[in-house]
């Protein structure tokens, strides 16, 4: 239990009435936009169009992670304005060129979405340390009705998990799994 996460969640809830769009046309969506440290507002935005290798998701659930809290508080920098939320589960609604992920698939989106594939980190199995790592920050997060993601990074979510259960696994779950792998834990 992290009280900082509750603080960000309360900031979102305090503006909850703003989340519903007045009247959006088919080219617009709604998102909670971090405009400055501590300033989070629901805004109408252009519907994200997936580029080559990307998908557009209709967001079902997004967790509140410590990184979101640090960005919101301004203790971690990123280009603003920014849509927070990197523990996202959604349904594939549109596909960019070259994507085979089926429309309607329910997927989770992790923090790291793509790496360069050619640097020393990538070629030695440490792609998450790539100096040109492509993350949710570049694409926008999941505190929105719609989000973009790199299709090859998306993980199919099994029917046995609710979207709310699966969302935190996209970051916190990966963190725990990484520790277990590095510790060579066996059953």
């Amino acid at each position: 239990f992290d009280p900082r996460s509750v603080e960000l969640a309360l900031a979102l809830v305090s503006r909850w009435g703003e989340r519903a769009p007045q009247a959006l046309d088919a080219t617009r969506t709604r998102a909670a936009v971090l405009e400055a440290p501590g300033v989070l507002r629901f805004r109408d935005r252009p519907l994200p169009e997936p580029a080559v290798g990307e998908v557009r998701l209709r967001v079902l659930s997004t967790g509140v992670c410590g990184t979101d809290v640090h960005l919101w508080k301004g203790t971690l920098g990123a280009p603003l304005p920014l849509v927070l939320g990197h523990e996202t589960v959604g349904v594939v609604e549109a596909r960019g060129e070259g994507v085979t992920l089926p429309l309607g698939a329910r997927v989770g989106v992790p923090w790291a979405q793509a790496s360069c594939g050619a640097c020393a980190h990538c070629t030695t199995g440490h792609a998450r340390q790539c100096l040109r790592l492509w993350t949710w920050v570049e694409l926008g997060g999941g505190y929105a009705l719609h989000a973009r993601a790199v299709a090859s990074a998306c993980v199919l979510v099994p029917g046995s998990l609710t979207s709310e259960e699966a969302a935190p696994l996209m970051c916190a779950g990966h963190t725990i799994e990484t520790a277990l792998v590095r510790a060579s834990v066996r059953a």
Side-chain angles (χ1 to χ4, degrees):
F1 175 72
D2 187 343
R4 297 169 307 163
S5 296
V6 172
E7 194 175 347
L8 175 56
L10 287 173
L12 284 166
V13 170
S14 71
R15 305 193 76 89
W16 201 242
E18 300 172 16
R19 80 190 184 289
Q22 300 302 320
L24 291 177
D25 65 32
T27 66
R28 309 287 297 168
T29 190
R30 193 94 168 139
V33 180
L34 181 65
E35 297 177 342
V39 180
L40 192 63
R41 292 198 173 91
F42 285 91
R43 299 283 188 216
D44 290 353
R45 298 173 54 93
L47 190 67
E49 288 303 324
V52 173
E54 294 178 356
V55 293
R56 178 177 66 228
L57 304 176
R58 180 176 42 84
V59 175
L60 300 173
S61 184
T62 303
V64 177
C65 181
T67 303
D68 296 311
V69 175
H70 292 302
L71 288 164
W72 175 63
K73 291 217 174 239
T75 56
L76 181 63
L80 299 178
L82 173 65
V83 177
L84 296 176
H86 63 276
E87 296 179 337
T88 302
V89 172
V91 173
V92 176
E93 187 176 86
R95 301 179 293 193
E97 186 179 323
V99 175
T100 58
L101 200 57
L103 292 174
R106 189 170 61 122
V107 298
V109 183
W111 165 284
Q113 301 207 13
S115 62
C116 75
C119 71
H121 294 294
C122 290
T123 58
T124 58
H126 303 285
R128 295 225 181 244
Q129 286 137 13
C130 175
L131 299 177
R132 291 174 280 173
L133 195 62
W134 189 256
T135 72
W136 68 276
V137 172
E138 287 82 18
L139 298 172
Y143 294 171
L145 296 176
H146 298 88
R148 276 174 51 214
V150 173
S152 62
C154 291
V155 178
L156 290 171
V157 175
S160 59
L161 288 176
T162 67
S163 298
E164 294 78 13
E165 291 169 330
L169 296 175
M170 298 302 112
C171 185
H174 175 77
T175 301
I176 292 166
E177 187 258 348
T178 299
L180 292 172
V181 169
R182 288 186 178 173
S184 300
V185 173
R186 300 194 196 306

